Structure formats: structure tokens, C-alpha cells
Amino acid sequence: MTTEQRARSLGVHVVLIAYSLLAVGPILLVVMNSFKMRNAIFGSPLAPPDAATFSLIGYEKVFRSSHILTYYSNSLIVTLVSMALVLLFGAMAAWALTEYRFRGSTALALFLSIGIMVPIRLGSVAILNMMRSAGLNDTLTALILVYVAQGLPMSIFILSEFIQQIPKDLRDAARCDGVPETRIFFEVVAPLLRPAIATVAVFTIVPIWNDLWFPLILTSSDSTHTVTLGVQQFLGQYITDWNSVLAALSMAILPVVIIYVILSRQLIAGLTSGAVK
Amino acid sequence: MPESVSNITAQMPRAKLAGLLLFFLGPAVAIYTLFSIYPLVATMALSTYTSDPSGARSFVGLANFKTLLGDALWSKPFWNALGNNLIFFAVHMCVQNPVGIALAGLLSLPGLRLRGFYRTVMFLPTMLSVVIVGFSWNLILSPLWGVAAGALKAVGLGSLFAPWLGLESSALVTLSLISVWQFVGIPMMLIYAALLNIPDELIDAARVDGLGQFRIFFHIKLPLVLPTISLVSVLTFVANFNAFDLIYSVKGALAGPNFATDILGTFFYRTFFGNQLQLGNPTMGSAVATVMFFIILLGLCLYLFFVQRRIRRYAF
């Protein structure tokens, strides 16, 4: 490496490190200060907690004065059930659209793709009316139904691309042996879709877990709030109690960060695999 | 694609095919139609009605839209929200795309070490909830905590600090920049993926011709990823004209100070759901949602007819 090349590479790293700091700095700052006593939060915000300033008072208050565990379990139920249904129904629909030739298949594919671009949020007035008249208002079921409808178009689009790549001989061999179509899908094709799950998950789990709008519109009691809405309301109520606010923020950040760090390789592979080009 | 359909399925009896289609497509089409398409259509239909205090609805044609665009009580906040939304979008286009392109360009440099680490770290904010991001920045920029003021003072720019989120003149741009900070990961990743897809031969040929990294990037790589950049732009457009969470969690439903940060999403929420100042009005709310739908549709059409059609698709 010549000196000039070395200098240039150093410059690139300086820029990337600076931007990385800008990206995680605010998050680190919030999490770090949530473990400190009030006067340390204000006295030296940039210092990490030490033996003298360490405190869990904010977390104690959050546990005492909010239903944070209920919010977590609601978010978990809504996200996992929605994702499972999006994957199952999405894969089935993608299979039918790519495998069978029938009149209107192109029109149906176009119809299904409207939902990729047009946000379902714009139908909220009617969604709320429907849920009220069906008696589903303020239930997790209402959220799940909306999220499945929201996630399906993208998952059908991505899974269709995957199904097209599966060798045709595989399913035709099974057909020659007289295996019924449903078994071909569930026993031959579905297991091969496993790598697509991470990709579909990126486009379903994250928006559902982070959504504020539908929980705000469709749920009204503490027992049905999700983490995002629960924390948002808690923050509004305790705005002047910095220990609690920082602790509540950290509790909303940490699960996402942990899952992200574990899955980041698959998530990024999914994002960059050409699913959206 | 006829060749992808095997002969065996093409010869299937009609009744059997219909049964299979019903089984495989039924659940997805039913849920999607019932909870996504039907509500959109029903909302548009509802926008042509009005309801009296007893709850009875009567058809009024386009009167709601006339009120929304013509009656000063409605049109002033509407045009304010639309104008603010355009500024919100403009800041994204002017900051998010160039920063995303620059970061993607750096990340895709050949032989870069720690590539995976940078990528993971820089994408992290995109994964977080908008509520969390908004609130965290609210604390950091708060004069009470003094983190931002202290940071500026440390580099000798202390006099520049102001409570940006609280001032009518700077609140909207500050919120837009917070949103850019969070979502710059998306253009970065998509453009990065597109840059990696450029065949090495093209780059090698340019290098043999004596072009430096800088010129290779601007003259060869950038034109090749233009389709991705326009896709990112249209995704940003749809997301921006539908945004709500950030403003609501930092500024509340009233989008203060003095509606300076009010965008269509918060205006829609107030109209439909109500707040301290007004009762919720589902029919006017539907009218606002319908207008938002047509704005998004207009953006999509412009993209499809002008951008997408002119871009030459390069087959790699």
C-alpha cells in the first residue's frame, strides 16, 4: 500500500466511524443514563454509570406504575401470530399464483400488489367502524387481522420470487408419483422456503412491533396496549420524571437491539438479496 | 410466464383447479380484501356522507371536499399541513438520499475492513420504533438536559444552540432531520446492494482506462444505481405523506408550536379522532384520508410514468 492509499483508507474509516457514532450515540446515551441516579443524569450525562452513580430506581418505577409486562406479552403475541399467518397464507397464495395457470391470475397479482404501495392506514375510519360493529374493538385479534392484511402483499411478492427459483423437476416428480397438490406444497415446497423467512420477517416483524397508529386507534385499555403505545403513554404521563422516562425508553429499545444483533446478518442479507430492487 | 407452469398442472380438470385455488388463495385474498381494500373503498365512500349529532348519515356528494378546500376553518389547517408535509419530504430528499448514497459508496469500496460492523451499526436506528427515536432526541435536544448544548460548546459553537424543537421556525426541520437520522439506513442498504450488483468487469475496465475511485463512482456506478435511487425516492414519498408517529410522539396531536409541525397524518388523526379542541368527525376524517390517498396516488403515477419509463433497465 502506498502512503497515499493508506491516507485515503484512513480517511474513509474516519468518516464511517464518525457516522457510526452519530447513529448509536443517542441510543447509548439514553440506555447508559437510565442506570444512573437523577443528579448524575444531569450532572455528567456523558459519563457511564459507576459504583457511586448506579441506580435502578427508574426501572423500579416503570415496573411499579405501568403494565410493562402486559405490554410486552401483547406485542409478542400480536407480532408472532401476525407473522405466522402472513408467512402461511402468503406462501400458499404465492404458490398458487406462480404454479397454476388460470384466467385472471395477472389481475389478481396486480390487485394484491396495491397493498405494497398504498398504506392501509388510510382506511382507518372504516377499519374502526368494522371492528366496532364486529365487537372486536379493543382486542388483540383486531390488530392481528389488520397486520396480516398489511403484511400479505409484500410477503406474497417476495415468496413468489423464491418459489420460482425452486427446480420444477422436484414438484413434477412428486406429481408423477400421484402425491396430492396440498402435500406437494406442505411437504416438498414449504420446507424449501425456510431461507425466505428471514426476508419476510424483516418486512413484517419490525413494522408491526414498532407500530403506534393501529394500537392507538384500535385499543383503548391497558390490557390490550402494545409496548410502543404503552411506553408512549407512559412517557407522556411521567415526562418530568427523568429516571422513569429513560428506563422506559431503554426497556423499549433493548429487546429490539438484542434481536437485531442476533439476526442482523440474516436481516441485512434479506434486505440486500434483491427482494426489493 | 407460461414456461414456469408444468404441463401436469395445465392439464388439471377445472373443478380440481378451482378447489386448489380456493384453498391456497382463499385465506390471503379474503383477509387482504376485507381488511385492506374494503376499508380503503369504504373510507372513500364515507367521505361523501355527513353525520348529524344523532349519528344518522346523509349523502352530501363532494360537499366535504368543498368544505375542506374552501371553508377557511378547514382549508387553513389543511394547506398548512400539506405545505409542512412538502417541507418534511424536501428535507428527506435533500439530506437522506445524498447521505445514503455517500455511505453506500464508502461501504462498497473494495477491500474495506470492518464492513459488516459499520453496516450493522449504521442500520440500527432504522430498526427502532419512531416513538423511541423521537423521544430520545427530544431529551437530547432539550435545554433541560443540556447534552446537545454541551456538545456544541465543546467544539466552540455553544452560541449556536437553541431549543430547536420548541421554536416555531425550526421545529419542523429539526423533526425532519430526526426522521432522516432514523431512516437513512434504508437508502444506504438498497443502494449498497445495487452497487454490489454492478459487475466487476465494468469497474475493472474503467480502472484499466485509468479512472480513479472518485470518477468511477460518479461516472459509472452512480448512473447504474439511478433506478434504485428513484425507487428509494418514491418509497420516501409514500412514507412521508403517511407519517404520523414521530410528530405525535414528540409534539402530540396538536403538532405544536402553533401547528408549525402539523403534517397530513396528524391533521387526519385530529379530524377523525378528535382532541382537546374538537370532536372527532369520521366523515370529514374520511375526506382527509381520501385526499391523502390521491396525493400518494399522484406521486406513484408520476414515478411510474415519468421516472420508471425513462430509466433504461440494465440487464446484469
Side-chain angles (χ1 to χ4, degrees):
Chain A
M1 234 194 238
T2 65
T3 340
E4 194 197 331
Q5 274 171 326
R6 204 166 288 167
R8 192 179 294 160
S9 144
L10 187 73
V12 169
H13 281 283
V14 168
V15 174
L16 288 173
I17 289 172
Y19 196 84
S20 302
L21 277 177
L22 180 65
V24 289
I27 302 163
L28 280 179
L29 194 69
V30 166
V31 174
M32 197 171 78
N33 280 288
S34 72
F35 292 106
K36 284 158 55 171
M37 288 185 312
R38 188 179 161 86
N39 51 9
I41 294 173
F42 285 97
S44 48
L46 296 181
D50 56 34
T53 57
F54 182 82
S55 159
L56 289 174
I57 178 115
Y59 289 89
E60 278 166 32
K61 282 188 195 159
V62 174
F63 273 108
R64 212 164 345 114
S65 47
S66 82
H67 302 81
I68 189 88
L69 292 177
T70 316
Y71 304 154
Y72 270 129
S73 82
N74 287 340
S75 277
L76 215 62
I77 293 170
V78 168
T79 309
L80 291 181
V81 174
S82 307
M83 193 197 71
L85 292 177
V86 164
L87 276 174
L88 175 68
F89 295 154
M92 284 163 63
W95 161 259
L97 282 173
T98 43
E99 189 67 9
Y100 306 128
R101 205 186 321 182
F102 57 96
R103 200 178 295 167
S105 63
T106 320
L108 188 61
L110 270 177
F111 173 71
L112 286 169
S113 67
I114 296 173
I116 296 181
M117 277 311 196
V118 178
I120 186 171
R121 209 175 256 200
L122 297 179
S124 301
V125 182
I127 290 177
L128 181 62
N129 285 345
M130 277 170 76
M131 295 303 178
R132 273 188 185 146
S133 52
L136 288 172
N137 197 28
D138 201 18
T139 61
L140 297 183
T141 316
L143 288 178
I144 291 170
L145 287 170
V146 171
Y147 289 142
V148 174
Q150 175 183 281
L152 274 172
M154 197 55 154
S155 86
I156 294 175
F157 178 71
I158 296 168
L159 290 165
S160 295
E161 302 229 316
F162 263 84
I163 290 176
Q164 271 166 5
Q165 287 163 15
I166 297 174
K168 270 180 292 179
D169 310 357
L170 219 59
R171 35 208 173 184
D172 283 348
R175 281 197 183 104
C176 290
D177 291 343
V179 181
E181 292 290 321
T182 45
R183 277 189 56 198
I184 294 179
F185 173 75
F186 286 107
E187 287 167 30
V188 181
V189 177
L192 293 172
L193 292 178
R194 214 170 287 161
I197 291 176
T199 312
V200 175
V202 185
F203 293 102
T204 47
I205 293 183
V206 177
I208 295 174
W209 183 275
N210 287 340
D211 187 42
L212 174 69
W213 179 265
F214 283 111
L216 191 63
I217 302 277
L218 295 174
T219 70
S220 46
S221 53
D222 268 331
S223 60
T224 47
H225 280 356
T226 58
V227 171
T228 307
L229 178 62
V231 167
Q232 194 266 334
Q233 308 228 312
F234 179 85
L235 293 175
Q237 243 171 340
Y238 289 82
I239 183 108
T240 50
D241 183 347
W242 283 61
N243 287 103
S244 306
V245 164
L246 290 168
L249 282 171
S250 304
M251 288 177 76
I253 291 173
L254 287 176
V256 181
V257 171
I258 291 168
I259 292 170
Y260 173 64
V261 169
I262 296 171
L263 290 179
S264 69
R265 188 181 282 265
Q266 284 98 311
L267 294 182
I268 287 169
L271 258 183
T272 54
S273 70
V276 180
K277 235 192 285 182
Chain B
M1 262 171 279
E3 63 273 17
S4 74
V5 178
S6 68
N7 289 327
I8 304 173
T9 56
Q11 287 157 9
M12 217 181 282
R14 251 160 187 245
K16 193 183 164 199
L17 181 65
L20 283 172
L21 290 179
L22 192 68
F23 173 77
F24 281 116
L25 283 167
V29 173
I31 293 185
Y32 170 76
T33 310
L34 202 57
F35 294 101
S36 183
I37 297 299
Y38 168 74
L40 275 176
V41 176
T43 300
M44 282 188 223
L46 195 61
S47 71
T48 59
Y49 283 80
T50 189
S51 51
D52 58 22
S54 73
R57 292 203 170 118
S58 53
F59 182 77
V60 289
L62 296 176
N64 286 337
F65 295 95
K66 233 179 253 166
T67 312
L68 183 64
L69 303 175
D71 180 347
L73 195 66
W74 286 97
S75 67
K76 237 185 90 192
F78 171 75
W79 291 114
N80 173 51
L82 182 61
N84 286 342
N85 222 145
L86 285 170
I87 297 173
F88 192 66
F89 176 60
V91 172
H92 277 81
M93 291 302 286
C94 296
V95 183
Q96 182 183 274
N97 284 356
V99 173
I101 293 168
L103 291 175
L106 291 179
L107 275 182
S108 66
L109 284 176
L112 179 77
R113 284 198 206 157
L114 293 174
R115 192 196 305 266
F117 169 77
Y118 289 133
R119 219 172 37 189
T120 307
V121 167
M122 294 196 291
F123 194 67
L124 180 64
T126 311
M127 304 294 293
L128 296 176
S129 154
V130 179
V131 173
I132 305 307
V133 167
F135 229 93
S136 301
W137 275 103
N138 201 1
L139 298 183
I140 289 165
L141 295 176
S142 154
L144 268 181
W145 200 8
V147 173
L152 278 179
K153 213 178 274 172
V155 290
L157 295 170
S159 60
L160 283 182
F161 180 79
W164 291 299
L165 276 173
L167 295 176
E168 221 175 293
S169 54
S170 57
L172 180 62
V173 173
T174 310
L175 282 166
S176 314
L177 289 174
I178 293 172
S179 172
V180 167
W181 173 84
Q182 172 166 26
F183 290 115
V184 78
I186 292 174
M188 181 187 85
M189 279 305 178
L190 295 180
I191 294 167
Y192 167 72
L195 286 171
L196 292 188
N197 274 338
I198 296 174
D200 290 336
E201 300 89 79
L202 266 175
I203 310 298
D204 290 342
R207 197 167 300 139
V208 170
D209 286 347
L211 263 68
Q213 286 288 359
F214 223 71
R215 290 181 62 192
I216 291 181
F217 184 77
F218 280 102
H219 293 288
I220 297 172
K221 289 182 174 174
L222 202 55
L224 286 173
V225 298
L226 272 183
T228 312
I229 295 173
S230 52
L231 175 76
V232 166
S233 306
V234 75
L235 289 177
T236 308
F237 178 83
V238 174
N240 282 174
F241 277 86
N242 177 40
F244 164 79
D245 306 27
L246 180 67
I247 314 282
Y248 181 77
S249 53
V250 178
K251 290 283 153 194
L254 288 176
N258 192 20
F259 299 107
T261 57
D262 198 22
I263 57 173
L264 290 171
T266 41
F267 178 59
F268 169 45
Y269 177 81
R270 277 203 317 277
T271 310
F272 155 46
F273 230 60
N275 59 77
Q276 300 96 306
L277 300 181
Q278 68 196 78
L279 277 172
N281 184 338
T283 49
M284 276 310 276
S286 302
V288 177
T290 306
V291 172
M292 287 167 75
F293 173 80
F294 282 110
I295 290 172
I296 288 173
L297 198 66
L298 182 74
L300 289 176
C301 289
L302 287 177
Y303 167 73
L304 289 175
F305 287 118
F306 291 101
V307 185
Q308 184 80 318
R309 218 170 46 170
R310 291 202 183 166
I311 286 170
R312 239 184 301 156
R313 289 244 163 229
Y314 294 87
F316 290 141

